[in-house]
Amino acid sequence: MKIKNKKILIIILFLGILILILINRRTPFFQQDGGGGWSVGYGESNEFPKSINVKDNAIYSIEKLKISNDSTVFLADPFFVKEKDTFYLFFEHKKNKFNGDVGLLTSTDGKNYQYRGTVLTQKFHLSYPQVFKYRNDFYMVPESKGANNVLLYKAYHFPFDWRVYDTLVSNVRLKDPSIYLSDSLNVMVASDDNLNMYMYQADSLFGKWKLHKKPIAMMGTEARAGGRFFADKKGLILPVQNSTNGYGFGLSLYRFSFKDGNYTVKRESPFFLKANKEIKEFNAGMHQLDIQKLDENHYYYVYDGNTLNSDSKKVNIYGPLKWTYIDVKNWILNQ
């Protein structure tokens, strides 16, 4: 009897060690001890890129922005719009204060950008400034979690003079809201602090935004949007952050397909962007992408990346166990 019990304990111990090895392989218990500041990169292609070689593209770095604004801590979460002959690149501008503002870079060729200052500041933190044109006016849906609402801003003298125009979702703290608007589909995703991405819908931008009948679109280590929806013939593509090796480690592309009031989600391009050890500005991770089709044979994209402060790592036991549990639960629910 004792021998049998001993064999069972050995088997349980072996399986436990094996599970820990598997968990550590996808979500390491030793994670990099935080990154430094974020910078922004940008490029273009003749078709939707199957991959982006960030080594070949230009970077607007922290150091460059500090020349114009010496209180700069980092620039991140880039979104752009092209109006006539000018690229307007909006970004989270973190300075030497507790909250972030929305800053602006402009370019006439999409290659050489100039800093134009702060376009929006509030008493609460702002980031993720998704700017878009709707019915001939420009609007912005930033992350306004600190206001306990998802706020809609309108530009009264574009690209400046942004004011609150509406509240899309009230009394909820949501991160990185990404919105898609069309004649037949109006949806928005946003995430909470518990690794859940929620799906909202409305009949128009100014309609009543409410949770979809399938409210949770994703959960786990890939459940936070990392950029604007991109529409093609097959449906919608959404960049989604990956945090298996810490916040801001990488970015995957997901396919959202809508039909008859329902939708499905499929991981289409795992780690489309991730830490690149060869580039100082991006050697800690990447977590944002905005790609748009400007004309028939011209795609333009902007993204961000983080630089390592050091090579040191910290131990995180609880995180990988929790994230793996949620990822497995999400996988089972979607089978």
Side-chain angles (χ1 to χ4, degrees):
M1 191 67 166
K2 289 183 178 180
I3 295 176
K4 186 178 180 180
N5 289 339
K6 187 175 181 181
K7 286 182 178 180
I8 292 174
L9 288 173
I10 291 173
I11 291 173
I12 292 173
L13 180 62
F14 174 77
L15 290 175
I17 292 172
L18 181 60
I19 290 171
L20 289 175
I21 291 173
L22 292 174
I23 291 174
N24 183 69
R25 185 172 181 179
R26 68 178 303 275
T27 311
F29 293 111
F30 291 88
Q31 299 185 343
Q32 59 193 33
D33 192 14
W38 295 78
S39 297
V40 167
Y42 43 91
E44 54 191 326
S45 60
N46 294 326
E47 59 183 9
F48 190 96
K50 295 180 180 179
S51 62
I52 294 177
N53 187 354
V54 296
K55 292 188 295 183
D56 295 337
N57 295 333
I59 297 173
Y60 197 101
S61 67
I62 312 169
E63 288 75 17
K64 187 171 183 178
L65 185 55
K66 281 183 176 179
I67 296 173
S68 299
N69 188 307
D70 60 9
S71 67
T72 295
V73 176
F74 63 75
L75 63 159
D77 293 0
F79 286 95
F80 80 93
V81 293
K82 186 171 186 284
E83 180 69 2
K84 297 181 180 178
D85 296 326
T86 302
F87 290 84
Y88 298 89
L89 196 162
F90 298 85
F91 63 95
E92 174 193 353
H93 192 180
K94 186 66 176 69
K95 307 169 189 174
N96 291 319
K97 60 176 185 174
F98 80 95
N99 61 319
D101 297 329
V102 176
L104 174 65
L105 303 172
T106 63
S107 172
T108 55
D109 59 7
K111 298 177 181 178
N112 299 288
Y113 278 93
Q114 301 295 321
Y115 175 59
R116 301 301 182 190
T118 298
V119 298
L120 179 61
T121 185
Q122 301 278 247
K123 293 181 179 179
F124 49 85
H125 178 75
L126 288 169
S127 60
Y128 206 76
Q130 184 180 351
V131 174
F132 55 93
K133 194 172 186 179
Y134 184 77
R135 297 178 183 174
N136 296 317
D137 288 311
F138 287 94
Y139 296 90
M140 179 196 303
V141 179
E143 178 183 307
S144 52
K145 187 179 79 168
N148 204 37
N149 297 300
V150 178
L151 298 173
L152 175 69
Y153 290 79
K154 180 179 178 180
Y156 288 84
H157 296 92
F158 183 82
F160 302 100
D161 195 10
W162 295 89
R163 308 176 206 169
V164 175
Y165 188 79
D166 197 1
T167 299
L168 302 186
V169 184
S170 303
N171 300 317
V172 62
R173 293 170 62 83
L174 294 172
K175 300 182 289 191
D176 299 348
S178 292
I179 193 166
Y180 175 77
L181 305 166
S182 72
D183 293 335
S184 58
L185 181 68
N186 300 283
V187 294
M188 177 173 64
V189 295
S191 303
D192 64 14
D193 291 326
N194 296 315
L195 306 181
N196 296 305
M197 177 190 286
Y198 295 94
M199 174 69 71
Y200 290 84
Q201 60 183 358
D203 56 10
S204 73
L205 175 61
F206 310 121
K208 183 178 180 180
W209 288 89
K210 58 183 181 180
L211 281 170
H212 194 278
K213 61 183 180 181
K214 180 184 173 183
I216 298 181
M218 303 171 68
M219 60 175 68
T221 50
E222 287 192 335
R224 181 175 178 177
R228 190 191 310 265
F229 277 107
F230 178 87
D232 61 14
K233 294 179 181 179
K234 297 179 181 179
L236 299 179
I237 296 174
L238 180 70
V240 177
Q241 297 182 41
N242 179 286
S243 59
T244 53
N245 201 11
Y247 173 74
F249 176 68
L251 188 87
S252 297
L253 301 185
Y254 277 76
R255 168 75 61 185
F256 282 67
S257 300
F258 294 84
K259 186 178 181 180
D260 300 329
N262 293 311
Y263 68 91
T264 58
V265 182
K266 182 181 179 181
R267 195 183 197 212
E268 192 160 277
S269 299
F271 288 108
F272 188 76
L273 293 173
K274 63 179 180 179
N276 190 311
K277 300 303 180 184
E278 299 179 34
I279 302 176
K280 176 177 70 75
E281 289 84 359
F282 303 153
N283 62 7
M286 303 184 74
H287 83 338
Q288 173 87 7
L289 172 68
D290 182 15
I291 181 168
Q292 298 179 47
K293 186 177 183 180
L294 300 183
D295 54 48
E296 192 60 33
N297 296 304
H298 190 194
Y299 293 76
Y300 190 84
Y301 41 83
V302 297
Y303 45 81
D304 67 8
N306 194 5
T307 186
L308 281 173
N309 273 333
S310 70
D311 293 328
S312 64
K313 294 187 176 183
K314 61 182 179 181
V315 179
N316 184 353
I317 302 298
Y318 174 72
L321 294 175
K322 174 186 175 182
W323 303 330
T324 300
Y325 166 74
I326 295 175
D327 283 344
V328 170
K329 179 181 176 182
N330 187 42
W331 180 81
I332 292 172
L333 291 175
N334 284 282
Q335 295 309 300

